[in-house]
Structures are given as C-alpha cells and as structure tokens.
Amino acid sequence: MIPAAFEYHAPKTLRQAISTLRKYDGEARVLAGGMSLVPMMKLRLANLAAVVDLGRIKGLSFIQEVNGGLSIGPMTTHYDIESSEVVQRISPILAEAAALVGDVQVRNRGTIGGSVAHADPAADLPAALLVLHAKFSIAGSARRRIVRADRMFVDAYTSALEEGEVIAGVHVPAMPPRTGWSYKKLANRASRFAIVGIATQVTTDEQGVCTRARVAITGAGPAPTRARTIERYLTGKKLTPLNITKSATRAIAGIEFLGDVHGSPEYRKHLTMELTKQALTEASERIR
Ligand SMILES: Cc1cc2nc3c(=O)[nH]c(=O)nc-3n(C[C@H](O)[C@H](O)[C@H](O)COP(=O)(O)OP(=O)(O)OC[C@H]3O[C@@H](n4cnc5c(N)ncnc54)[C@H](O)[C@@H]3O)c2cc1C
C-alpha cells in the first residue's frame, strides 16, 4: 500500500524538529526508524500532513555510562543496545530484551525512542525499562521535563508524551549488587512481538533474602505494567522454588487480559504465570 501524500522535513537540530512539529498543530509526527510509523501510514492508520525525520540530527544516537547507570540517545537502535558491551554490563536485561525484538532488519532500524513513544502493548523494551526504573527526558516546551517509566505507558499506543514533544534521552540507574535479571517471552512466530513477555530484576542481601523485586508484564493487557503484588510478596522472602511458584500465581492480579487471534485471555493468563515463574527462577540463579 502507498501512504497518502505528506510533507517530509529533515531538520538538523532538535529545536528545529520541535518548531516544525508545532507548525503542523498535531498533524505531523517525528520519524525515527520508521518500523511502526511507515506501516501505519501505508495502512492509512496514520494520515499525517508531515513527518519530521530525526535521522539527520547529530548526537541522538549514543550509549554512555553515567554515574554507574546509562544514558541512551533516542535514536539508538535495538541492535546497538543488544550488542553494546556497556549495556550488557550495566543493564543486561535491556540488552536481553532488545535482542528479542523482531528480526535483525527491524533491530537495525528500530530505535529505543520509537519503541517507547509508540507504546505498543506487546513491545519488549518498555517492560525492561519499567523494571529498570528508567526515566525519559522529554523536549518540547521551554524546559525539558522528566517522565518516569511507570508514568510513561498509559494505554495501548498511548504514552505520556504530549503533542509536539520528543523523547530526547533515556536514563537508566545503576543496578545494585547481588541482582539477577531475566526477560522471557513467548513470541508471535511471524512478527516476534510478545504474546506475553515478563521482565524481572531481583536483589537479595548477603543471606539470600529478597530486598527488592521488580516484575513487569507486556503483551497481556492494554499496556505494559508492573506486577506490584508479586513484588510485595517476594520482598523479605528467600527466592526458593516454592516462594517463586507461589508468587507467580499472583502475576495475574489486576490485569485486564487481552484476547485476540494470537491467544485468548485464559491462554495469556496461563502464559503470564508460567513465564513469571521461569523469569524469576532464571533471575534468582543469575544473582551476582
Ligand atoms: C516486522 C516487525 C516486527 C517487530 N517486532 C517487534 C518485537 O518483537 N518487539 C518489539 O518491541 N517491537 C517490534 N517491532 C517494532 C519495532 O521495535 C519498532 O522499532 C518500534 O516500535 C518503533 O521504533 P521506530 O524507531 O521504528 O519508530 P517509528 O516507527 O519511526 O515511530 C513510531 C512512533 O514513535 C514516534 N517517535 C519515534 N521516535 C520518537 C521520539 N524520539 N520522540 C517522540 N516520538 C517518537 C513516531 O512519531 C511514531 O508515532 C516490530 C516491527 C516490525 C515492522
């Protein structure tokens, strides 16, 4: 399919990009990797007056170690993230989730900023960013604002971004010692999107008692979400197989499960509990 006619802008600075977006008063969007936006335009699900390509703006693709954590540019591709030694060392769950996005062509084009802004309910990176307590630096108004990951993913294809705003950076805090991580998903065989995906990070003290548990679920409901019931249940307990199994049954609390051609709500509930058990088991084995 061919998209409807639109204007194309390729600004050289973020400031120019934002002022161009403003001129179109909600009828323009930024273009990053184009892996989601272009198909939407071709299918006429997005009819835009203009696209504002971020691809010619220097300095939007980077991975830096900052205070033991990470600062990542919005145009950094999934492939750059999965193959970065710095990401593998500091936030291995992010590298693990990025490596499971689509296929290598999608990972070579798709960006972290695009994945976050698009807020696909089955996307992988948002779940990892939720357990990492990532923050997003948002440009658009006179002063940049910061949005926390647990405020970013509002609903299906709806993020906390307002009209004319652009994600300018992704910030991930350092991982505490004695932390294990895991990202598990059952992928749609064609697109590789998650039918259900579970991201988890668990931290223990020297006696092996869980001091912090974070679990996020993607694909199951309208938006990726933290499983706080499990997090509360595990905190203060040893990560024994029994406690992990008991906690996994709590994974389904508070989720409005989706049903579609890929899986019924009952199937997604079952997957959520099973993958949570697998992810927590792997995370506890990886504690270092
Ligand atoms: C065949 C296929 C398989 C895929 N499989 C998976 C998968 O398994 N898991 C997964 O998570 N994803 C998957 N994706 C989606 C892929 O990860 C995309 O990279 C991602 O959804 C969008 O990133 P993008 O850079 O291509 O953004 P674009 O398509 O360019 O943009 C998407 C949206 O985000 C907005 N946007 C982009 N960048 C910014 C920014 N910096 N600030 C504000 N708004 C911005 C755009 O305006 C647009 O509305 C798949 C895509 C395809 C085509």
Side-chain angles (χ1 to χ4, degrees):
M1 291 224 7
I2 297 172
F6 60 91
E7 299 283 324
Y8 172 82
H9 297 271
K12 295 275 168 51
T13 66
L14 201 54
R15 190 187 285 247
Q16 280 171 10
I18 290 163
S19 71
T20 309
L21 282 175
R22 283 221 191 97
K23 278 186 205 144
Y24 285 91
D25 198 21
E27 298 294 314
R29 286 207 211 161
V30 297
L31 176 71
M35 290 292 98
S36 299
L37 187 60
V38 172
M40 283 173 67
M41 291 172 72
K42 287 184 166 183
L43 292 168
R44 311 273 171 126
L45 294 171
N47 288 311
L48 301 173
V51 298
V52 180
D53 190 350
L54 299 182
R56 307 269 173 88
I57 303 176
K58 290 202 175 83
L60 294 185
S61 172
F62 59 86
I63 296 171
Q64 285 165 359
E65 186 172 349
V66 178
N67 299 329
L70 290 172
S71 180
I72 304 178
M75 290 293 281
T76 309
T77 64
H78 306 316
Y79 179 76
D80 288 340
I81 291 170
E82 77 174 276
S83 57
S84 157
E85 176 279 321
V86 181
V87 181
Q88 288 165 10
R89 178 166 47 83
I90 294 180
S91 302
I93 191 172
L94 192 58
E96 191 161 89
L100 294 178
V101 171
D103 50 36
V104 72
Q105 289 94 331
V106 170
R107 297 199 294 277
N108 268 325
R109 294 286 315 167
T111 66
I112 189 167
S115 178
V116 171
H118 190 56
D120 190 301
D124 297 300
L125 264 49
L129 292 165
L130 274 169
V131 299
L132 287 167
H133 271 204
K135 289 182 179 163
F136 307 103
S137 164
I138 313 286
S141 44
R143 293 171 104 220
R144 284 196 181 184
R145 66 182 183 110
I146 300 289
V147 176
R148 291 176 1 206
D150 57 3
R151 299 268 165 88
M152 193 65 174
F153 307 106
V154 177
D155 205 345
Y157 306 104
T158 309
S159 74
L161 286 177
E162 287 169 14
E163 239 166 58
E165 287 190 324
V166 177
I167 298 172
V170 180
H171 310 286
V172 177
M175 185 165 80
R178 288 184 298 279
T179 294
W181 74 93
S182 177
Y183 182 67
K184 294 273 178 217
K185 77 168 170 178
L186 184 80
N188 175 311
R189 287 196 178 188
S191 71
R192 313 303 300 162
F193 270 109
I195 298 174
V196 170
I198 307 289
T200 182
Q201 260 196 191
V202 284
T203 306
T204 61
D205 63 16
E206 278 157 11
Q207 281 70 48
V209 174
C210 178
T211 52
R212 201 178 73 176
R214 288 184 188 154
V215 179
I217 302 171
T218 189
T225 179
R226 289 264 298 278
R228 292 182 198 273
T229 320
I230 302 183
E231 297 177 355
R232 280 193 295 271
Y233 179 81
L234 283 176
T235 306
K237 294 188 174 68
K238 289 208 169 186
L239 296 171
T240 60
L242 181 63
N243 283 336
I244 287 176
T245 303
K246 281 186 178 173
S247 77
T249 61
R250 291 164 163 81
I252 55 175
I255 299 178
E256 187 195 319
F257 280 87
L258 298 173
D260 57 22
V261 289
H262 308 301
S264 63
E266 289 68 34
Y267 182 54
R268 282 192 162 88
K269 271 186 198 167
H270 171 75
L271 279 180
T272 300
M273 291 189 282
E274 183 53 36
L275 293 175
T276 300
K277 195 163 82 181
Q278 290 180 18
L280 284 168
T281 302
E282 184 169 67
S284 65
E285 288 165 359
R286 281 174 166 172
I287 288 174
R288 53 184 186 184

